[in-house]
């Protein structure tokens, strides 16, 4: 491991040089992105400051790493950190030397950024309640970490067409989005035997697709064989020429589903002949708490008398002072664990009822309704790929809902992406928005596509339907009017989506 760390540090030294060459305009934006993505770093839109993505493995943050991240916040005068929809932590508005210093220091403390972007396997997503979820068949955490470590060790040698995403969900709620990833595993119990249901070649963004169900159940001990088979298939069949169609979801479209599955089987057979992986035996879930959830953001665990508190910072931006309070709290609660979700949330686990209530009181501004837990990518001006200010829309919606004094119970979590890339998974949201520019008369206006009725729920995962385009300035009022309609009709968005009253309301706000 030490020799691997030294190798990673040597990469950082070269990357530091490339960063300065970029700032001196000796290499282009595209050339720098080709270098920086694999390091987990991107230049922001001003082309002077940078973002670094700390690859917290499957959203697990140890107390040591939490304090390490807090030390970076203090050292570099950051006002906030961003919790991502891939269970990582992003630090923004840094100069290139600060970014490289953080990378080197993180390597010393086993907090890596390698493979956090670019054409590499990304952070392996994991249900944040894995190991404490009442309904789970077994704890899938060891398998997510096994795959993540495998990817990290191989990151410098991968030559993939594009990124690849793997997910592990604890149960059919599919809280890690296994059914829309390049490769997804869901824990099930087959006649009392722990197994995985598996999906292949799903994904969001341009040309989205629900993943293809694999026809057989998978033994947990064999997960790495299936993962390596998918890597080999991607290398062999992925499109290296057309970046727009380089993701795995385009392979079964080109081959046909049956031929794709046959191709996967051939790669799996070969991998089983040529590889020998450590097998981790599953541990069946034991015990079942009789405790009730205290509320929607305080969940009773499988373990008797223990709770998990869900903290959702506004639009995924966790303020430095809140991070300090959380770090101090978990430091004195010996059993406390922290995991990140795919909804820009922090789960604080293994708390007694009294500790849970204390944390809720301390972070009362985060104990919120579904709409107040709206999630948003960072958008412009931070994201170099962004088109619009998704954070601005997020805060505008929340302010309008609050000012209107709505009963918020029927409005869902809204998912906002600043461009079509679906970092906020707007395409499978009950209400989702994706940023774009639209021509109104002779002017270019900020606007968002509206998607309605999406869902991630394993076998029932579905894409939302595109309704049209709304001006960004009109969306907060639309959400207010929608909230009033939902309360009047006593329905959810999914229930009302086909009703004439919903169509009439939405049509009033559409520009195309």
């Amino acid at each position: 491991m030490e020799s691997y760390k030294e190798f990673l540090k040597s990469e950082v030294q070269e990357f530091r040089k490339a960063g300065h060459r970029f700032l001196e305009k000796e290499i282009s934006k595209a050339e720098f992105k080709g270098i920086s993505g694999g390091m987990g770093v991107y230049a922001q839109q001003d082309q002077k400051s940078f973002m670094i993505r700390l690859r917290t493995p499957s959203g697990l943050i140890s107390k040591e790493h939490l304090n390490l991240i807090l030390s970076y916040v203090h050292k570099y005068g950051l006002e906030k950190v961003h919790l991502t929809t891939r269970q990582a932590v992003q630090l923004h508005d840094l100069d290139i030397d600060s970014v490289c210093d953080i990378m080197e220091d993180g390597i010393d403390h086993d907090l890596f950024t390698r493979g956090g972007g670019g054409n590499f396997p990304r952070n392996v997503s994991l249900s944040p309640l894995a190991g404490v979820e009442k309904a789970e068949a077994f704890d899938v955490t060891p398998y997510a970490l096994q795959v993540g470590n495998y990817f990290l060790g191989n990151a410098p040698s991968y030559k993939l067409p594009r990124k690849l995403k793997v997910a592990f969900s604890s149960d059919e709620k599919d809280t890690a989005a296994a059914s829309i990833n390049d490769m997804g595993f869901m824990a099930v119990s087959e006649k009392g035997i722990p197994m995985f249901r598996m999906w292949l070649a799903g994904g969001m963004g341009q040309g989205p697709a629900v993943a293809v169900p694999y026809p057989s159940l998978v033994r947990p001990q064999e997960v790495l064989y299936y993962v390596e088979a998918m890597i080999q298939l991607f290398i062999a069949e992925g499109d290296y020429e057309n970046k727009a169609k380089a993701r795995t979801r385009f392979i079964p479209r080109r081959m046909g589903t049956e031929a794709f599955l046959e191709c996967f089987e051939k790669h799996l057979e070969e991998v089983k002949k040529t590889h020998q992986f450590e097998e981790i035996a599953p541990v069946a879930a034991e015990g079942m708490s009789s405790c009730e959830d205290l509320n929607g953001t305080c969940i009773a665990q499988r373990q008797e008398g223990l709770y998990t508190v869900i903290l959702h910072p506004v639009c995924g931006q966790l303020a430095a002072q809140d991070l300090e309070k959380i770090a101090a709290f978990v430091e004195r609660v010996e059993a406390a664990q922290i995991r990140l979700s795919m909804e820009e949330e922090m789960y604080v686990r293994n708390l007694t009822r009294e500790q849970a209530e204390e944390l809720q009181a301390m972070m009362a501004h985060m104990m919120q309704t579904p709409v107040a837990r709206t999630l948003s990518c960072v958008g412009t001006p931070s994201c170099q790929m962004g088109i619009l200010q998704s954070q601005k829309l997020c805060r505008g919606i929340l302010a309008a809902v609050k000012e209107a004094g709505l009963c918020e119970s029927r409005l869902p979590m809204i998912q906002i992406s600043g461009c079509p890339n679906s970092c906020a998974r707007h395409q499978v949201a009950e209400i989702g928005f994706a940023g774009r520019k639209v021509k109104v008369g002779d002017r270019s206006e900020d606007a968002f596509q509206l998607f309605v009725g999406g869902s991630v729920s394993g076998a029932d995962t579905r894409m939302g339907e595109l309704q049209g385009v709304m001006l960004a300035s009109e969306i907060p009022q639309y959400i207010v009017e929608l909230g009033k309609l939902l309360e009047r009709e006593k329905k959810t968005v999914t229930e009302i989506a086909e009703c004439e009253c919903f169509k009439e309301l939405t049509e009033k706000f559409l520009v195309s």
Side-chain angles (χ1 to χ4, degrees):
M1 186 62 174
E2 289 306 313
S3 61
Y4 179 66
K5 287 183 177 182
E6 289 305 313
F7 172 76
L8 293 181
K9 283 188 176 182
S10 70
E11 285 191 321
V12 175
Q13 293 173 14
E14 293 303 311
F15 176 65
R16 192 188 297 267
K17 296 175 185 175
H20 282 286
R21 290 178 63 208
F22 167 71
L23 291 172
E24 295 297 325
K25 299 188 174 6
E26 295 175 9
I27 59 176
S28 69
K29 174 181 173 181
E31 288 174 314
F32 180 70
K33 184 182 176 186
I35 300 168
S36 70
M39 306 297 287
V41 176
Y42 288 102
Q44 296 178 189
Q45 284 200 346
D46 63 5
Q47 305 298 297
K48 297 177 182 178
S49 52
F50 300 83
M51 174 278 287
I52 184 168
R53 183 175 296 143
L54 302 173
R55 193 168 173 162
T56 48
S58 298
L60 278 68
I61 303 184
S62 66
K63 294 179 182 181
E64 177 191 3
H65 282 170
L66 187 67
N67 286 320
L68 187 64
I69 293 169
L70 182 59
S71 73
Y72 299 150
V73 169
H74 288 153
K75 182 175 181 178
Y76 299 104
L78 304 180
E79 296 180 356
K80 58 186 179 296
V81 302
H82 183 68
L83 308 183
T84 79
T85 54
R86 197 74 195 173
Q87 297 174 301
V89 176
Q90 289 180 182
L91 309 180
H92 290 263
D93 304 319
L94 296 161
D95 62 49
I96 191 63
D97 287 309
S98 298
V99 160
C100 292
D101 290 346
I102 289 171
M103 291 167 69
E104 290 183 331
D105 187 66
I107 291 168
D108 287 335
H109 294 87
D110 297 326
L111 182 60
F112 303 100
T113 67
R114 193 65 169 89
N119 301 334
F120 298 91
R122 297 299 174 83
N123 203 13
V124 176
S125 65
L126 171 68
S127 294
L129 289 174
V132 303
E133 170 66 61
K134 285 187 177 183
E136 69 185 3
F138 60 99
D139 184 3
V140 301
T141 304
Y143 304 99
L145 295 178
Q146 182 188 36
V147 173
N149 288 333
Y150 183 65
F151 285 158
L152 180 64
N154 287 286
S157 62
Y158 279 130
K159 304 295 181 186
L160 303 181
R162 283 289 304 280
K163 59 189 171 186
L164 183 130
K165 297 181 177 181
V166 177
F168 286 83
S169 283
S170 293
D171 54 40
E172 293 183 357
K173 292 195 292 290
D174 198 11
T175 50
S179 55
I180 53 169
N181 271 255
D182 297 287
M183 194 170 200
F185 298 88
M186 178 185 291
V188 297
S189 179
E190 180 70 8
K191 298 180 180 178
I193 300 174
M195 299 290 282
F196 278 120
R197 187 172 294 135
M198 188 173 74
W199 284 268
L200 300 171
M204 298 283 93
Q206 300 285 11
V210 176
V212 176
Y214 188 66
S216 305
L217 295 178
V218 174
R219 293 177 65 241
Q221 296 93 325
E222 295 185 321
V223 158
L224 275 184
Y225 293 96
Y226 286 81
V227 169
E228 180 59 26
M230 190 62 174
I231 291 285
Q232 294 303 320
L233 185 154
F234 193 25
I235 291 172
E237 304 295 340
D239 192 334
Y240 285 85
E241 301 300 324
N242 185 351
K243 184 177 180 181
K245 293 190 175 181
R247 296 294 301 278
T248 64
R249 58 183 176 271
F250 293 98
I251 300 175
R253 293 178 187 178
R254 186 182 74 241
M255 285 186 168
T257 300
E258 186 175 339
F260 168 74
L261 291 172
E262 289 176 1
C263 183
F264 178 81
E265 290 296 334
K266 289 178 182 178
H267 284 285
L268 178 62
E269 183 180 354
E270 184 63 25
V271 167
K272 286 187 174 182
K273 289 178 182 177
T274 58
H275 290 67
Q276 185 67 45
F277 293 121
E278 177 188 0
E279 296 187 358
I280 302 174
V283 178
E286 295 182 359
M288 180 64 77
S289 172
S290 60
C291 301
E292 296 295 326
D293 296 350
L294 297 183
N295 52 53
T297 54
C298 187
I299 311 299
Q301 297 182 184
R302 169 179 291 278
Q303 296 81 4
E304 186 72 39
L306 295 182
Y307 296 83
T308 292
V309 171
I310 304 172
L311 304 175
H312 185 97
V314 174
C315 305
Q317 303 281 38
L318 181 62
Q321 58 266 34
D322 287 331
L323 181 59
E324 289 174 351
K325 292 176 183 177
I326 295 167
F329 176 84
V330 299
E331 192 65 38
R332 62 182 172 81
V333 178
E334 185 176 353
Q337 296 178 346
I338 286 185
R339 296 197 182 185
L340 304 181
S341 78
M342 298 186 74
E343 281 72 47
E344 303 177 331
E345 294 170 331
M346 184 175 280
Y347 283 51
V348 185
R349 308 177 359 151
N350 294 340
L351 306 180
T352 65
R353 180 175 183 137
E354 292 74 20
Q355 290 165 345
E357 290 174 342
E358 178 189 351
L359 181 59
Q360 285 191 303
M362 183 190 309
M363 311 302 289
H365 56 292
M366 294 189 195
M367 313 326 299
Q368 301 164 332
T369 59
V371 69
R373 292 164 69 183
T374 285
L375 62 91
S376 166
C377 68
V378 293
T380 59
S382 294
C383 177
Q384 62 171 296
M385 299 295 293
I387 296 174
L388 296 185
Q389 297 184 52
S390 48
Q391 289 279 315
K392 179 180 178 181
L393 177 59
C394 178
R395 294 177 185 278
I397 288 172
L398 299 182
V401 168
K402 182 177 181 180
E403 184 178 346
L406 289 181
C407 173
E408 299 179 14
S409 59
R410 294 187 181 276
L411 277 171
M413 174 191 289
I414 299 166
Q415 297 173 218
I416 307 169
S417 300
C419 72
N421 283 339
S422 202
C423 289
R425 301 192 308 281
H426 58 266
Q427 291 154 318
V428 288
E430 197 167 2
I431 297 180
F433 291 102
R436 58 169 291 176
K437 292 285 188 177
V438 66
K439 197 85 168 179
V440 178
D442 58 354
R443 293 191 307 171
S444 177
E445 298 279 3
D446 292 350
F448 285 81
Q449 292 178 309
L450 168 65
F451 295 80
V452 172
S455 174
V456 177
S457 52
D460 295 323
T461 294
R462 62 181 180 274
M463 298 290 171
E465 292 190 13
L466 175 60
Q467 306 294 308
V469 178
M470 289 183 180
L471 294 180
S473 58
E474 298 293 319
I475 291 173
Q477 186 57 37
Y478 169 71
I479 296 299
V480 168
E481 295 300 320
L482 177 59
K484 292 176 180 178
L485 176 63
L486 296 175
E487 182 60 27
R488 196 162 57 243
E489 299 292 328
K490 307 300 181 188
K491 295 180 184 292
T492 66
V493 170
T494 300
E495 290 168 342
I496 206 172
E498 296 302 319
C499 296
E500 206 56 43
C501 57
F502 172 80
K503 294 177 182 179
E504 289 176 2
L505 171 63
T506 301
E507 187 66 32
K508 284 197 315 181
F509 286 85
L510 297 178
V511 294
S512 65

